[in-house]
Amino acid sequence: MPRSIRAILRQTDREPVSIAPDATVFEAIGQMVEANVGSILVIEAGALRGIFTERDYLRRIALQGRTSRETQIRDVMTSELVTVEPDDRVDTCLALMTERKIRHLPVLDDGRVAGVVSIGDCVRARLEQARGEVEDLHRFVAGGYAG
């Protein structure tokens, strides 16, 4: 039952999808669709520079009348990032995502990108944890709890 972001990253075992800031939005969307993800990290010279999400597309491309084939990611990415670390707790990340109204959190380990967790990843982890707690309670009530 994952209680830390590190455990979620181990379970998902997927590389974060990334793109360079000078790539077009069209290229980013293609990679996101291919990987079936809702966000893409913007990385330049090995450093995290931003994130581009489905929500960014709706707000900064569709509603502003820009074209995805001509607009560079650097012009529409979210650059004020909210990040977490691998040892952060799932509940802390869920609270952060709820408070900031975001669905994806880049995970940095010593300043390097370790992955991305989504709100779905965290909710799944929390549900697994709750199921385990319920099973423990059932065993305790039935007298078979070993501690």
Side-chain angles (χ1 to χ4, degrees):
M1 293 174 282
R3 292 177 186 240
S4 74
I5 295 306
R6 185 181 311 278
I8 291 176
L9 292 177
R10 269 193 230 113
Q11 281 184 346
T12 57
D13 194 32
R14 64 178 178 250
E15 286 293 314
V17 181
S18 66
I19 198 159
D22 59 349
T24 65
V25 169
F26 187 79
E27 292 170 300
I29 292 169
Q31 285 190 34
M32 291 166 65
V33 168
E34 186 177 316
N36 194 31
V37 295
S39 69
I40 189 166
L41 298 180
V42 182
I43 297 180
E44 183 176 44
L48 181 62
R49 301 289 184 217
I51 189 169
F52 183 75
T53 67
E54 295 162 326
R55 188 176 286 176
D56 290 329
Y57 180 84
L58 291 173
R59 290 182 178 163
R60 298 180 185 144
I61 300 295
L63 286 179
Q64 293 183 8
R66 298 179 189 214
T67 63
S68 43
R69 289 189 189 268
E70 296 171 7
T71 305
Q72 289 184 321
I73 285 294
R74 77 170 71 253
D75 296 329
V76 291
M77 69 184 184
T78 298
S79 54
E80 291 185 25
L81 293 171
V82 178
T83 63
V84 294
E85 296 177 357
D87 293 326
D88 286 338
R89 296 178 56 81
V90 170
D91 290 342
T92 303
C93 293
L94 279 169
L96 183 61
M97 285 190 254
T98 302
E99 176 187 315
R100 299 294 295 269
K101 296 183 174 139
I102 56 178
R103 297 178 189 165
H104 303 91
L105 286 171
V107 182
L108 299 181
D109 192 0
D110 269 342
R112 287 187 223 125
V113 174
V116 176
V117 291
S118 70
I119 196 162
D121 295 330
C122 291
V123 167
R124 260 187 306 282
R126 185 62 187 101
L127 285 173
E128 286 177 28
Q129 181 182 349
R131 281 189 196 110
E133 291 167 358
V134 167
E135 288 172 11
D136 287 348
L137 285 172
H138 279 286
R139 281 193 294 276
F140 178 75
V141 169
Y145 188 75

